């Protein structure tokens, strides 16, 4: 790492630019809690660069352990402020406007990058799920048996997979998934292959599992809008009629195949 940083410092010096060590930090993805620092010698002077254990990037709190605990706490803090405001005005606002309030200012906090931070532990996700149900209860007077936030993540992941399979995505996603080989049990269903060595928290594993969980009649829908609406309707209807439905925020849990 010192060699790469020294190369950057030299490039800045050649191009008449200054290197601000006070505004520069580095992150190492490890399990250690103690922060370190680098000392780089350049032009008879030493430059000290400190290590950071967490940083906010494009709205995502990235920590060195990649457990996303800080990001979930960040979401909770933002939602709780708005939830308090909606609760105090609940008696003054009809359901229509409470729903608008929740859709505009609260649900985007849960939805943004949820396919990334869902790799957090089940305990932290349960905290977020509880807060999500509070939003539903205050905004819509929904019961505590309201479907969990994991259902929203499943819907989002399914939409992503539909776009990837139909080529409506960046090209770097094209080679992540492959169909099962001809002659296998599920090859006629156009299921995606899942290697036994693939980590269950990886996008390649969860994406393939999510796609294989979809009924064929949903996969062949002509566009993303019809797919999203149809899948959402069938999924929520299936869960509402299931007497054994329980909240499950495990990362590799997907609610069962929907009969078309």
């Amino acid at each position: 790492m010192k060699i790469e940083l020294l190369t950057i410092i030299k490039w800045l010096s050649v191009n008449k630019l200054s290197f601000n060590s006070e505004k520069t930090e580095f992150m190492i993805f490890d399990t250690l809690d103690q922060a370190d620092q680098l000392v780089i010698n350049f032009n008879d002077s030493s430059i000290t660069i400190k290590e950071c254990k967490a940083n906010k990037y494009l709205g995502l709190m990235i920590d060195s352990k990649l457990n996303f605990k800080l990001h979930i706490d960040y979401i909770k803090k933002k939602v709780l402020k708005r939830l308090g405001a909606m609760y105090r005005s609940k008696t003054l606002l009809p359901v229509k406007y409470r729903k608008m309030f929740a859709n505009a200012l609260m649900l985007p906090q849960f939805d943004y990058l949820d396919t990334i931070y869902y790799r957090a532990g089940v305990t932290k996700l349960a905290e977020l799920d509880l807060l999500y149900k509070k939003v539903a209860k205050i905004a819509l007077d929904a019961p505590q048996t309201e479907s969990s936030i994991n259902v929203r993540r499943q819907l989002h992941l399914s939409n992503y997979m539909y776009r990837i399979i139909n080529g409506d995505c960046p090209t770097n996603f094209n080679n992540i998934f492959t169909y099962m080989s001809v002659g296998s049990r599920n090859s006629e269903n156009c299921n995606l292959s899942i290697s036994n060595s693939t980590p269950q928290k990886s996008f390649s594993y969860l994406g393939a599992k999510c796609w294989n969980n979809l009924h064929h009649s949903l996969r062949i829908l002509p566009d993303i809008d019809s797919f999203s609406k149809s899948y959402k309707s069938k999924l929520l209807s299936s869960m509402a009629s299931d007497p054994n439905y329980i909240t499950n925020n495990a990362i590799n849990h997907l609610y069962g195949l929907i009969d078309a």
Side-chain angles (χ1 to χ4, degrees), residues 108-160:
Q109 306 302 323
F110 294 103
D111 294 344
Y112 184 63
L113 299 176
D114 60 350
T115 56
I116 296 179
Y117 74 75
Y118 71 123
R119 303 183 184 191
V122 176
T123 303
K124 295 300 292 185
L125 290 175
E127 296 176 7
L128 211 57
D129 188 67
L130 180 62
L131 186 59
Y132 171 76
K133 291 184 177 181
K134 286 182 179 179
V135 172
K137 182 175 178 61
I138 295 175
L140 305 175
D141 296 322
Q144 289 296 326
T145 54
E146 174 72 13
S147 58
S148 72
I149 196 174
N150 193 35
V151 178
R152 293 184 67 85
R153 287 194 293 271
Q154 183 172 338
L155 290 170
H156 295 159
L157 184 58
S158 300
N159 289 339
Y160 294 150

Short mmCIF file of all heavy atoms in Angstrom, two decimals, residues 108-160:
data_model
loop_
_atom_site.label_atom_id
_atom_site.label_comp_id
_atom_site.label_asym_id
_atom_site.label_seq_id
_atom_site.Cartn_x
_atom_site.Cartn_y
_atom_site.Cartn_z
N PRO A 108 -37.93 5.27 1.19
CA PRO A 108 -36.66 5.34 0.46
C PRO A 108 -35.44 5.08 1.32
O PRO A 108 -34.41 4.60 0.82
CB PRO A 108 -36.66 6.79 -0.08
CG PRO A 108 -38.09 7.15 -0.19
CD PRO A 108 -38.75 6.48 0.97
N GLN A 109 -35.53 5.37 2.62
CA GLN A 109 -34.41 5.11 3.52
C GLN A 109 -34.18 3.60 3.67
O GLN A 109 -33.04 3.14 3.75
CB GLN A 109 -34.66 5.73 4.90
CG GLN A 109 -34.98 7.20 4.88
CD GLN A 109 -33.88 8.02 4.24
OE1 GLN A 109 -32.70 7.73 4.40
NE2 GLN A 109 -34.26 9.05 3.50
N PHE A 110 -35.26 2.83 3.70
CA PHE A 110 -35.15 1.37 3.79
C PHE A 110 -34.69 0.78 2.45
O PHE A 110 -33.93 -0.19 2.42
CB PHE A 110 -36.49 0.74 4.18
CG PHE A 110 -36.96 1.08 5.56
CD1 PHE A 110 -37.96 2.01 5.75
CD2 PHE A 110 -36.40 0.48 6.67
CE1 PHE A 110 -38.41 2.32 7.02
CE2 PHE A 110 -36.83 0.78 7.95
CZ PHE A 110 -37.84 1.71 8.13
N ASP A 111 -35.19 1.35 1.35
CA ASP A 111 -34.97 0.74 0.04
C ASP A 111 -33.58 1.01 -0.53
O ASP A 111 -33.05 0.16 -1.26
CB ASP A 111 -36.01 1.27 -0.95
CG ASP A 111 -37.43 0.84 -0.58
OD1 ASP A 111 -37.56 -0.09 0.23
OD2 ASP A 111 -38.39 1.44 -1.11
N TYR A 112 -33.01 2.16 -0.23
CA TYR A 112 -31.75 2.54 -0.87
C TYR A 112 -30.62 1.57 -0.52
O TYR A 112 -30.28 1.37 0.65
CB TYR A 112 -31.37 3.97 -0.44
CG TYR A 112 -30.13 4.49 -1.12
CD1 TYR A 112 -30.09 4.67 -2.50
CD2 TYR A 112 -28.99 4.79 -0.39
CE1 TYR A 112 -28.95 5.15 -3.13
CE2 TYR A 112 -27.84 5.28 -1.01
CZ TYR A 112 -27.84 5.46 -2.38
OH TYR A 112 -26.71 5.93 -3.00
N LEU A 113 -30.09 0.91 -1.54
CA LEU A 113 -28.97 -0.03 -1.41
C LEU A 113 -29.29 -1.20 -0.49
O LEU A 113 -28.40 -1.78 0.14
CB LEU A 113 -27.71 0.70 -0.91
CG LEU A 113 -27.17 1.80 -1.81
CD1 LEU A 113 -25.99 2.49 -1.16
CD2 LEU A 113 -26.77 1.27 -3.18
N ASP A 114 -30.58 -1.59 -0.43
CA ASP A 114 -30.94 -2.69 0.48
C ASP A 114 -30.37 -4.02 0.02
O ASP A 114 -30.18 -4.93 0.84
CB ASP A 114 -32.46 -2.79 0.63
CG ASP A 114 -33.18 -3.04 -0.69
OD1 ASP A 114 -32.53 -2.96 -1.74
OD2 ASP A 114 -34.40 -3.32 -0.67
N THR A 115 -30.07 -4.17 -1.27
CA THR A 115 -29.47 -5.41 -1.73
C THR A 115 -27.99 -5.51 -1.38
O THR A 115 -27.35 -6.52 -1.65
CB THR A 115 -29.64 -5.57 -3.26
OG1 THR A 115 -29.09 -4.44 -3.91
CG2 THR A 115 -31.10 -5.71 -3.62
N ILE A 116 -27.44 -4.44 -0.79
CA ILE A 116 -26.06 -4.47 -0.30
C ILE A 116 -26.02 -4.67 1.20
O ILE A 116 -25.36 -5.56 1.70
CB ILE A 116 -25.33 -3.17 -0.70
CG1 ILE A 116 -25.20 -3.07 -2.22
CG2 ILE A 116 -23.93 -3.12 -0.05
CD1 ILE A 116 -24.51 -1.82 -2.70
N TYR A 117 -26.76 -3.84 1.94
CA TYR A 117 -26.68 -3.93 3.40
C TYR A 117 -27.47 -5.10 3.98
O TYR A 117 -27.39 -5.35 5.18
CB TYR A 117 -27.10 -2.61 4.05
CG TYR A 117 -28.59 -2.31 4.05
CD1 TYR A 117 -29.46 -2.96 4.92
CD2 TYR A 117 -29.13 -1.33 3.23
CE1 TYR A 117 -30.82 -2.69 4.94
CE2 TYR A 117 -30.48 -1.03 3.25
CZ TYR A 117 -31.32 -1.72 4.10
OH TYR A 117 -32.66 -1.43 4.12
N TYR A 118 -28.21 -5.84 3.14
CA TYR A 118 -28.94 -7.00 3.66
C TYR A 118 -27.99 -8.11 4.10
O TYR A 118 -28.41 -9.09 4.69
CB TYR A 118 -29.90 -7.54 2.59
CG TYR A 118 -29.27 -8.23 1.42
CD1 TYR A 118 -29.58 -9.55 1.07
CD2 TYR A 118 -28.34 -7.56 0.62
CE1 TYR A 118 -29.00 -10.17 -0.01
CE2 TYR A 118 -27.75 -8.17 -0.46
CZ TYR A 118 -28.08 -9.47 -0.79
OH TYR A 118 -27.49 -10.09 -1.87
N ARG A 119 -26.69 -7.93 3.87
CA ARG A 119 -25.71 -8.91 4.34
C ARG A 119 -25.40 -8.75 5.82
O ARG A 119 -24.61 -9.50 6.39
CB ARG A 119 -24.41 -8.76 3.54
CG ARG A 119 -24.60 -8.91 2.05
CD ARG A 119 -23.31 -8.84 1.31
NE ARG A 119 -23.52 -8.89 -0.14
CZ ARG A 119 -22.54 -9.05 -1.02
NH1 ARG A 119 -21.31 -9.17 -0.60
NH2 ARG A 119 -22.81 -9.09 -2.31
N ALA A 120 -26.02 -7.78 6.45
CA ALA A 120 -25.84 -7.60 7.89
C ALA A 120 -26.41 -8.79 8.65
O ALA A 120 -27.14 -9.62 8.09
CB ALA A 120 -26.52 -6.31 8.35
N GLY A 121 -26.10 -8.85 9.94
CA GLY A 121 -26.58 -9.96 10.75
C GLY A 121 -28.09 -9.92 10.94
O GLY A 121 -28.74 -8.88 10.81
N VAL A 122 -28.67 -11.07 11.26
CA VAL A 122 -30.12 -11.18 11.42
C VAL A 122 -30.61 -10.29 12.55
O VAL A 122 -31.69 -9.70 12.47
CB VAL A 122 -30.50 -12.66 11.69
CG1 VAL A 122 -31.99 -12.78 11.97
CG2 VAL A 122 -30.11 -13.53 10.52
N THR A 123 -29.83 -10.15 13.62
CA THR A 123 -30.24 -9.32 14.75
C THR A 123 -30.39 -7.86 14.35
O THR A 123 -31.38 -7.20 14.70
CB THR A 123 -29.22 -9.43 15.90
OG1 THR A 123 -29.08 -10.81 16.27
CG2 THR A 123 -29.68 -8.63 17.10
N LYS A 124 -29.43 -7.33 13.58
CA LYS A 124 -29.51 -5.93 13.14
C LYS A 124 -30.65 -5.74 12.15
O LYS A 124 -31.35 -4.72 12.17
CB LYS A 124 -28.20 -5.48 12.51
CG LYS A 124 -27.02 -5.44 13.45
CD LYS A 124 -27.26 -4.46 14.60
CE LYS A 124 -27.31 -3.02 14.16
NZ LYS A 124 -27.44 -2.09 15.30
N LEU A 125 -30.86 -6.71 11.27
CA LEU A 125 -31.96 -6.61 10.32
C LEU A 125 -33.31 -6.67 11.04
O LEU A 125 -34.28 -6.05 10.60
CB LEU A 125 -31.86 -7.74 9.29
CG LEU A 125 -30.71 -7.63 8.30
CD1 LEU A 125 -30.66 -8.87 7.41
CD2 LEU A 125 -30.82 -6.38 7.45
N ALA A 126 -33.37 -7.42 12.15
CA ALA A 126 -34.60 -7.48 12.92
C ALA A 126 -34.94 -6.11 13.52
O ALA A 126 -36.11 -5.73 13.63
CB ALA A 126 -34.49 -8.53 14.02
N GLU A 127 -33.92 -5.36 13.93
CA GLU A 127 -34.14 -4.01 14.45
C GLU A 127 -34.75 -3.12 13.37
O GLU A 127 -35.66 -2.33 13.64
CB GLU A 127 -32.82 -3.41 14.92
CG GLU A 127 -32.18 -4.13 16.10
CD GLU A 127 -30.84 -3.55 16.48
OE1 GLU A 127 -30.47 -2.49 15.91
OE2 GLU A 127 -30.14 -4.13 17.32
N LEU A 128 -34.25 -3.27 12.15
CA LEU A 128 -34.76 -2.48 11.04
C LEU A 128 -36.18 -2.92 10.68
O LEU A 128 -37.03 -2.10 10.33
CB LEU A 128 -33.83 -2.64 9.83
CG LEU A 128 -33.72 -1.46 8.87
CD1 LEU A 128 -33.27 -0.20 9.61
CD2 LEU A 128 -32.75 -1.78 7.75
N ASP A 129 -36.42 -4.22 10.77
CA ASP A 129 -37.75 -4.75 10.47
C ASP A 129 -38.78 -4.23 11.46
O ASP A 129 -39.92 -3.90 11.08
CB ASP A 129 -37.70 -6.28 10.50
CG ASP A 129 -38.99 -6.90 10.00
OD1 ASP A 129 -39.29 -6.76 8.81
OD2 ASP A 129 -39.70 -7.52 10.81
N LEU A 130 -38.41 -4.15 12.72
CA LEU A 130 -39.31 -3.62 13.75
C LEU A 130 -39.67 -2.17 13.46
O LEU A 130 -40.83 -1.76 13.59
CB LEU A 130 -38.67 -3.75 15.13
CG LEU A 130 -39.49 -3.25 16.32
CD1 LEU A 130 -40.78 -4.06 16.45
CD2 LEU A 130 -38.67 -3.37 17.61
N LEU A 131 -38.68 -1.40 13.06
CA LEU A 131 -38.91 0.01 12.73
C LEU A 131 -39.80 0.13 11.49
O LEU A 131 -40.68 1.00 11.43
CB LEU A 131 -37.58 0.71 12.50
CG LEU A 131 -37.61 2.22 12.27
CD1 LEU A 131 -38.24 2.92 13.47
CD2 LEU A 131 -36.21 2.76 12.03
N TYR A 132 -39.59 -0.75 10.52
CA TYR A 132 -40.41 -0.75 9.31
C TYR A 132 -41.88 -1.01 9.64
O TYR A 132 -42.78 -0.37 9.09
CB TYR A 132 -39.87 -1.82 8.35
CG TYR A 132 -40.72 -2.09 7.14
CD1 TYR A 132 -40.73 -1.22 6.07
CD2 TYR A 132 -41.48 -3.25 7.06
CE1 TYR A 132 -41.50 -1.48 4.94
CE2 TYR A 132 -42.26 -3.52 5.95
CZ TYR A 132 -42.26 -2.63 4.89
OH TYR A 132 -43.03 -2.89 3.79
N LYS A 133 -42.11 -1.92 10.56
CA LYS A 133 -43.49 -2.23 10.95
C LYS A 133 -44.12 -1.09 11.74
O LYS A 133 -45.33 -0.88 11.68
CB LYS A 133 -43.52 -3.53 11.75
CG LYS A 133 -43.19 -4.75 10.91
CD LYS A 133 -43.32 -6.04 11.68
CE LYS A 133 -43.05 -7.25 10.78
NZ LYS A 133 -43.19 -8.52 11.48
N LYS A 134 -43.31 -0.35 12.48
CA LYS A 134 -43.83 0.83 13.16
C LYS A 134 -44.30 1.88 12.17
O LYS A 134 -45.33 2.52 12.37
CB LYS A 134 -42.76 1.42 14.09
CG LYS A 134 -42.51 0.62 15.36
CD LYS A 134 -41.48 1.32 16.23
CE LYS A 134 -41.24 0.53 17.52
NZ LYS A 134 -40.23 1.19 18.38
N VAL A 135 -43.51 2.04 11.09
CA VAL A 135 -43.91 2.98 10.04
C VAL A 135 -45.24 2.55 9.43
O VAL A 135 -46.15 3.38 9.22
CB VAL A 135 -42.82 3.06 8.95
CG1 VAL A 135 -43.31 3.87 7.76
CG2 VAL A 135 -41.54 3.67 9.51
N ALA A 136 -45.37 1.25 9.15
CA ALA A 136 -46.61 0.74 8.56
C ALA A 136 -47.79 0.92 9.51
O ALA A 136 -48.90 1.27 9.09
CB ALA A 136 -46.44 -0.73 8.19
N LYS A 137 -47.56 0.73 10.79
CA LYS A 137 -48.64 0.84 11.77
C LYS A 137 -49.12 2.28 11.90
O LYS A 137 -50.32 2.55 11.97
CB LYS A 137 -48.16 0.32 13.13
CG LYS A 137 -49.23 0.36 14.21
CD LYS A 137 -48.74 -0.28 15.49
CE LYS A 137 -49.80 -0.20 16.59
NZ LYS A 137 -51.03 -0.91 16.21
N ILE A 138 -48.18 3.22 11.95
CA ILE A 138 -48.56 4.63 12.11
C ILE A 138 -49.13 5.21 10.82
O ILE A 138 -50.12 5.95 10.84
CB ILE A 138 -47.34 5.45 12.58
CG1 ILE A 138 -46.90 5.00 13.97
CG2 ILE A 138 -47.66 6.94 12.59
CD1 ILE A 138 -45.64 5.66 14.46
N ALA A 139 -48.52 4.87 9.69
CA ALA A 139 -48.96 5.44 8.42
C ALA A 139 -50.26 4.84 7.92
O ALA A 139 -51.12 5.54 7.39
CB ALA A 139 -47.86 5.27 7.37
N LEU A 140 -50.41 3.51 8.08
CA LEU A 140 -51.55 2.82 7.48
C LEU A 140 -52.44 2.12 8.49
O LEU A 140 -53.40 1.45 8.09
CB LEU A 140 -51.03 1.77 6.48
CG LEU A 140 -50.10 2.28 5.38
CD1 LEU A 140 -49.58 1.12 4.55
CD2 LEU A 140 -50.82 3.28 4.50
N ASP A 141 -52.12 2.27 9.79
CA ASP A 141 -52.85 1.53 10.83
C ASP A 141 -52.79 0.03 10.57
O ASP A 141 -53.75 -0.71 10.82
CB ASP A 141 -54.32 1.99 10.89
CG ASP A 141 -54.44 3.45 11.31
OD1 ASP A 141 -53.65 3.87 12.17
OD2 ASP A 141 -55.31 4.14 10.77
N ALA A 142 -51.66 -0.42 10.03
CA ALA A 142 -51.48 -1.83 9.71
C ALA A 142 -51.19 -2.62 10.99
O ALA A 142 -50.58 -2.10 11.92
CB ALA A 142 -50.34 -2.01 8.73
N PRO A 143 -51.60 -3.89 11.06
CA PRO A 143 -51.30 -4.71 12.23
C PRO A 143 -49.83 -5.09 12.31
O PRO A 143 -49.08 -4.93 11.35
CB PRO A 143 -52.19 -5.95 12.03
CG PRO A 143 -52.35 -6.04 10.54
CD PRO A 143 -52.39 -4.61 10.04
N GLN A 144 -49.42 -5.61 13.46
CA GLN A 144 -48.03 -6.00 13.64
C GLN A 144 -47.65 -7.20 12.78
O GLN A 144 -46.47 -7.52 12.64
CB GLN A 144 -47.76 -6.34 15.12
CG GLN A 144 -47.76 -5.12 16.02
CD GLN A 144 -46.63 -4.15 15.69
OE1 GLN A 144 -45.56 -4.56 15.30
NE2 GLN A 144 -46.90 -2.86 15.83
N THR A 145 -48.64 -7.88 12.20
CA THR A 145 -48.35 -9.01 11.31
C THR A 145 -48.06 -8.55 9.88
O THR A 145 -47.98 -9.37 8.98
CB THR A 145 -49.54 -9.98 11.29
OG1 THR A 145 -50.73 -9.25 10.94
CG2 THR A 145 -49.72 -10.63 12.65
N GLU A 146 -47.92 -7.25 9.69
CA GLU A 146 -47.55 -6.72 8.37
C GLU A 146 -46.29 -7.40 7.85
O GLU A 146 -45.39 -7.74 8.63
CB GLU A 146 -47.32 -5.21 8.48
CG GLU A 146 -46.80 -4.57 7.23
CD GLU A 146 -47.84 -4.46 6.13
OE1 GLU A 146 -49.03 -4.68 6.44
OE2 GLU A 146 -47.47 -4.20 4.99
N SER A 147 -46.25 -7.65 6.53
CA SER A 147 -45.09 -8.35 5.96
C SER A 147 -43.80 -7.63 6.28
O SER A 147 -43.76 -6.41 6.42
CB SER A 147 -45.27 -8.48 4.44
OG SER A 147 -45.40 -7.21 3.86
N SER A 148 -42.73 -8.39 6.38
CA SER A 148 -41.46 -7.86 6.85
C SER A 148 -40.74 -7.10 5.74
O SER A 148 -41.08 -7.17 4.57
CB SER A 148 -40.57 -8.99 7.36
OG SER A 148 -40.11 -9.76 6.27
N ILE A 149 -39.69 -6.39 6.16
CA ILE A 149 -38.88 -5.63 5.21
C ILE A 149 -38.14 -6.57 4.26
O ILE A 149 -37.74 -6.16 3.17
CB ILE A 149 -37.89 -4.73 5.97
CG1 ILE A 149 -37.33 -3.67 5.04
CG2 ILE A 149 -36.79 -5.55 6.62
CD1 ILE A 149 -36.47 -2.65 5.76
N ASN A 150 -37.99 -7.82 4.64
CA ASN A 150 -37.33 -8.79 3.78
C ASN A 150 -38.11 -9.00 2.49
O ASN A 150 -37.55 -9.33 1.45
CB ASN A 150 -37.15 -10.12 4.52
CG ASN A 150 -36.20 -11.05 3.79
OD1 ASN A 150 -35.23 -10.61 3.18
ND2 ASN A 150 -36.48 -12.34 3.84
N VAL A 151 -39.44 -8.81 2.57
CA VAL A 151 -40.28 -8.94 1.38
C VAL A 151 -39.93 -7.85 0.36
O VAL A 151 -39.85 -8.10 -0.84
CB VAL A 151 -41.77 -8.87 1.76
CG1 VAL A 151 -42.64 -8.95 0.51
CG2 VAL A 151 -42.12 -9.99 2.72
N ARG A 152 -39.70 -6.63 0.85
CA ARG A 152 -39.31 -5.53 -0.05
C ARG A 152 -37.97 -5.83 -0.71
O ARG A 152 -37.78 -5.59 -1.91
CB ARG A 152 -39.25 -4.22 0.72
CG ARG A 152 -40.58 -3.73 1.23
CD ARG A 152 -40.45 -2.37 1.89
NE ARG A 152 -40.11 -1.32 0.95
CZ ARG A 152 -41.00 -0.65 0.22
NH1 ARG A 152 -42.27 -0.93 0.31
NH2 ARG A 152 -40.60 0.31 -0.60
N ARG A 153 -37.03 -6.38 0.05
CA ARG A 153 -35.73 -6.72 -0.53
C ARG A 153 -35.88 -7.81 -1.58
O ARG A 153 -35.20 -7.81 -2.60
CB ARG A 153 -34.77 -7.15 0.58
CG ARG A 153 -34.29 -6.03 1.44
CD ARG A 153 -33.09 -6.46 2.28
NE ARG A 153 -33.45 -7.45 3.27
CZ ARG A 153 -33.87 -7.16 4.49
NH1 ARG A 153 -34.00 -5.92 4.87
NH2 ARG A 153 -34.16 -8.12 5.34
N GLN A 154 -36.77 -8.77 -1.32
CA GLN A 154 -36.99 -9.84 -2.29
C GLN A 154 -37.58 -9.28 -3.58
O GLN A 154 -37.20 -9.70 -4.68
CB GLN A 154 -37.92 -10.90 -1.70
CG GLN A 154 -38.14 -12.10 -2.62
CD GLN A 154 -38.90 -13.22 -1.93
OE1 GLN A 154 -38.91 -13.30 -0.71
NE2 GLN A 154 -39.54 -14.06 -2.71
N LEU A 155 -38.51 -8.34 -3.47
CA LEU A 155 -39.08 -7.71 -4.64
C LEU A 155 -38.02 -6.95 -5.44
O LEU A 155 -37.98 -7.04 -6.67
CB LEU A 155 -40.21 -6.76 -4.23
CG LEU A 155 -41.49 -7.41 -3.70
CD1 LEU A 155 -42.42 -6.34 -3.12
CD2 LEU A 155 -42.20 -8.17 -4.81
N HIS A 156 -37.17 -6.20 -4.73
CA HIS A 156 -36.12 -5.45 -5.41
C HIS A 156 -35.13 -6.39 -6.10
O HIS A 156 -34.73 -6.15 -7.25
CB HIS A 156 -35.38 -4.57 -4.40
CG HIS A 156 -36.24 -3.51 -3.80
ND1 HIS A 156 -35.94 -2.88 -2.61
CD2 HIS A 156 -37.41 -2.95 -4.22
CE1 HIS A 156 -36.88 -2.01 -2.32
NE2 HIS A 156 -37.78 -2.03 -3.28
N LEU A 157 -34.72 -7.43 -5.41
CA LEU A 157 -33.77 -8.37 -5.98
C LEU A 157 -34.36 -9.06 -7.21
O LEU A 157 -33.66 -9.27 -8.21
CB LEU A 157 -33.36 -9.41 -4.93
CG LEU A 157 -32.28 -10.42 -5.33
CD1 LEU A 157 -31.00 -9.70 -5.74
CD2 LEU A 157 -32.01 -11.39 -4.19
N SER A 158 -35.64 -9.37 -7.17
CA SER A 158 -36.31 -10.00 -8.32
C SER A 158 -36.33 -9.06 -9.52
O SER A 158 -36.13 -9.49 -10.66
CB SER A 158 -37.74 -10.41 -7.94
OG SER A 158 -37.75 -11.33 -6.87
N ASN A 159 -36.59 -7.78 -9.25
CA ASN A 159 -36.57 -6.79 -10.34
C ASN A 159 -35.19 -6.68 -10.97
O ASN A 159 -35.04 -6.60 -12.20
CB ASN A 159 -37.02 -5.43 -9.83
CG ASN A 159 -38.50 -5.39 -9.51
OD1 ASN A 159 -39.28 -6.21 -10.01
ND2 ASN A 159 -38.91 -4.45 -8.69
N TYR A 160 -34.14 -6.68 -10.12
CA TYR A 160 -32.78 -6.63 -10.64
C TYR A 160 -32.47 -7.85 -11.51
O TYR A 160 -31.87 -7.74 -12.58
CB TYR A 160 -31.77 -6.57 -9.49
CG TYR A 160 -31.83 -5.31 -8.68
CD1 TYR A 160 -31.48 -5.32 -7.32
CD2 TYR A 160 -32.24 -4.10 -9.22
CE1 TYR A 160 -31.55 -4.15 -6.55
CE2 TYR A 160 -32.30 -2.95 -8.47
CZ TYR A 160 -31.96 -2.98 -7.14
OH TYR A 160 -32.03 -1.83 -6.39
#
